[in-house]
Amino acid sequence: MNKKHYTGLQRRAENIIWNAAGDYSFDPPYMAFYENGQPDPYFNLVIGLTHKWLDLDRITEFFQSLDGSIHAEEWCEILWLGIENCVYLKELPERPRLKALRIKKAEEFFKSRGMLSRQQMMLQSMTVYNQQQARWSKVLGKRGDLLSPKGRKLQTALEFPGNLDTEGVIQKMQEIVTDLFHGHMRMGHTSYTPVSGLRRVIASTLLRHHSQSHDTLFVRNGTGTGDETGSVQLAHAGSAGIRTDHAAGDRAYIEAVLGRSILGEQDLHVLENNLCAGPHAFCRLWVSKPCECSQPELGHETRLPVSTLEALSPGDRRELTSVLKQAGTQALKNQSFQKDHSIQIASGIRKLSSRVDEVLSGTERALPELARQGRLSSELAYRLPILHDTHVFLQQGEETERSVSLDLLLDASASRLNYQEELAAQAKIIAESFSKARVAVQVEAFRSVRGYTALQILKDRNQKDTSGVSRYFAGGWNRDGLGLRLAGSMLPDKDAYARRILFVLTDASPNDSVKLPPERGSVFAREYQGSAAVLDAKQAVADLRKDGISVAAIFLGPTLYLENLHTIYGKECVRIHRISQLEEAVSDLLEMTLRGVENVY
């Protein structure tokens, strides 16, 4: 028999469950924890009461039948509210003090909600949150937030009566999944219509991921070897954690929205092996150029390969037309903005290119030319004895080049929705200014969607045309640590350029739906947000600089994240509020990067 190893917090949760159940011999299939890893006393009590009054194994089988859906964790959170109501009514006559514990739970809920930042609120499932606040408002005798008609119907449905037996509870839950969530299920399988993706983001609504934890995290307590679907491996801290249920569909969706990968399967696999490790072990990578199907005039999804369309679910195919249309519409908005501000943009390019040219004047190097003496060229050496050609030596010529490359990396997450036109214009100004100053420039945008951290190349290094920058649009999450490393892997070899520069247009607020793997000794995956995400991005910048890459940031965002900016990039950063500040900020940043001049805010 495989022995489980519990931490102190897990043991506390188990003791609460055992005390409530009055049974110290059973192995709880669930434990409830807050997001900070502390056990939730009330819901662990509810789990114990569920074992006391209902068949918890049958309840567990029902929840396992939902595992095929990306909505499973969200549904689980909601359905436990129904179970809570049922076992509360069953137990209350025997345990009058339960009412006070329930009121305390309600008060704790509203206290914790009041301390959440706007960024944290964006991570919540609003369906779960609305039902939680409705339940706990009613417990406190308060009037909760106004619910939609569907929300009110769900609130009523979750008030499971206390006279239900196990089969009655399962029937109630099945009716909710089928009638209100539109999941068509049988034991062991659930079909569903996915609603994740970019459509709601481009439409300026909140993007969230259904695996985000909410007020209470219910941990499936498996055998310890991970042999139950969705179970937590209690003694293992480094599991890859990538679910393959919808891998083909997710990949097809990424390709349809962001374009076909420019890397072959083998190259992509090698890149993932190198970068998707440690904090990014649960992630996948994608490198592409914008697909033609996102151009408004091309008919959208009709331009996609048949194989890609076939791999998409019906829901994704319905969503795709809207996503591509809105991405194309954003491209038109970017172009219109640039046309309306053409005089300002042209002036910015002229001034910035002049300043860049001045700053880079000391970085020029002479190009080699063939001569009768100097350093022997190994490639031409054969010509000397065979053709009696003495021009097989290299020496410094009169022609010069600037041995500098610039990669411009744009955060393309949902947090940039209100800045899309301005960011595209800024990228155009920077790209054209450096190109005029004879610098090889590549422009890229990164985001995270469906577990993929994707890099889109909007302007190639060997390309003079900057019109592709107008294809920039925002949507998704931003896993800055992995995005920076991915961008770093796209930089030219250090032998090709004496100075390799990476400028990042950022709001310094890394945030992703794919969690960080559990730390050693813990079973809890951590959210990629807050200090953990900031420190990961800081480490990525440090690693790139150690490899000889000059990394600096151009900050356009709220003051709230200035501390993150300095933590991640140190002094190599500037802040701008409008396009008119770009010329001075970028030239100062370039000078700072090349000469080590300190940044003064």
Side-chain angles (χ1 to χ4, degrees), residues 419-461:
Y419 301 94
Q420 292 175 93
E421 294 90 337
E422 190 166 353
L423 285 169
Q426 290 176 8
K428 178 182 176 67
I429 292 172
I430 296 172
E432 291 200 13
S433 298
F434 276 78
S435 293
K436 284 180 178 293
R438 294 182 291 135
V439 174
V441 181
Q442 182 155 299
V443 182
E444 305 150 344
F446 82 100
R447 59 171 63 78
S448 295
V449 181
R450 297 195 179 190
Y452 281 82
T453 291
L455 189 76
Q456 264 191 319
I457 299 175
L458 304 176
K459 178 199 171 295
D460 192 270
R461 204 178 317 280

Side-chain angles (χ1 to χ4, degrees), residues 4 17 26-31 47 51 56-57 60 219-222 228:
K4 296 181 183 178
I17 294 170
F26 89 105
D27 194 10
Y30 288 95
M31 294 180 184
I47 293 170
H51 175 77
L56 190 52
D57 290 337
T60 301
V219 177
R220 178 78 56 77
N221 188 14
E228 289 185 13

Side-chain angles (χ1 to χ4, degrees), residues 242-372:
I242 298 175
R243 296 189 64 158
T244 59
D245 313 41
H246 318 291
D250 287 344
R251 181 183 172 120
Y253 184 87
I254 296 297
E255 180 177 340
V257 174
L258 301 179
R260 184 173 297 179
S261 174
I262 62 172
L263 301 179
E265 288 297 326
Q266 186 173 355
D267 290 337
L268 199 57
H269 183 66
V270 170
L271 192 62
E272 287 181 339
N273 282 343
N274 289 337
L275 301 183
C276 296
H280 310 295
F282 295 173
C283 300
R284 303 293 303 276
L285 298 176
W286 195 258
V287 182
S288 65
K289 294 183 178 179
C291 57
E292 290 186 349
C293 48
S294 64
Q295 295 184 27
E297 67 275 11
L298 291 180
H300 312 300
E301 78 285 351
T302 58
R303 296 282 177 165
L304 294 170
V306 174
S307 58
T308 300
L309 287 172
E310 289 178 345
L312 294 169
S313 69
D316 280 345
R317 285 198 294 270
R318 288 192 297 269
E319 180 178 302
L320 189 57
T321 301
S322 177
V323 172
L324 296 178
K325 182 178 180 180
Q326 291 179 73
T329 299
Q330 184 58 51
L332 294 177
K333 288 182 178 180
N334 294 340
Q335 293 166 11
S336 178
F337 181 89
Q338 291 167 23
K339 184 178 179 180
D340 293 341
H341 296 79
S342 58
I343 296 177
Q344 184 181 9
I345 290 173
S347 175
I349 292 172
R350 186 175 61 256
K351 292 178 181 178
L352 181 56
S353 61
S354 176
R355 293 199 60 172
V356 169
D357 189 69
E358 182 182 346
V359 173
L360 292 179
S361 59
T363 66
E364 295 186 356
R365 67 178 181 184
L367 290 173
E369 64 179 14
L370 293 176
R372 292 185 177 184

Side-chain angles (χ1 to χ4, degrees), residues 428-568:
K428 178 182 176 67
I429 292 172
I430 296 172
E432 291 200 13
S433 298
F434 276 78
S435 293
K436 284 180 178 293
R438 294 182 291 135
V439 174
V441 181
Q442 182 155 299
V443 182
E444 305 150 344
F446 82 100
R447 59 171 63 78
S448 295
V449 181
R450 297 195 179 190
Y452 281 82
T453 291
L455 189 76
Q456 264 191 319
I457 299 175
L458 304 176
K459 178 199 171 295
D460 192 270
R461 204 178 317 280
N462 302 318
Q463 196 178 24
K464 289 187 177 180
D465 182 20
T466 60
S467 60
V469 176
S470 297
R471 307 277 290 281
Y472 170 82
F473 70 94
W477 304 85
N478 56 308
R479 197 177 190 91
D480 286 23
L482 186 53
L484 285 162
R485 291 179 171 91
L486 181 55
S489 72
M490 295 291 109
L491 264 68
D493 187 77
K494 62 180 68 176
D495 295 331
Y497 295 93
R499 296 301 299 263
R500 296 174 297 161
I501 301 172
L502 176 63
F503 281 173
V504 187
L505 270 64
T506 180
D507 64 356
S509 178
N511 198 348
D512 191 19
S513 60
V514 177
K515 297 182 180 181
L516 293 160
E519 293 179 310
R520 186 174 298 278
S522 173
V523 300
F524 302 107
R526 298 160 293 151
E527 303 294 348
Y528 191 87
Q529 63 183 21
S531 60
V534 169
L535 291 176
D536 175 59
K538 176 185 178 182
Q539 185 60 52
V541 170
D543 291 343
L544 291 173
R545 287 173 175 166
K546 188 176 180 181
D547 196 36
I549 299 168
S550 300
V551 185
I554 302 166
F555 180 81
L556 178 65
T559 304
L560 173 68
Y561 301 124
L562 277 177
E563 184 177 348
N564 292 353
L565 177 71
H566 289 294
T567 299
I568 297 170

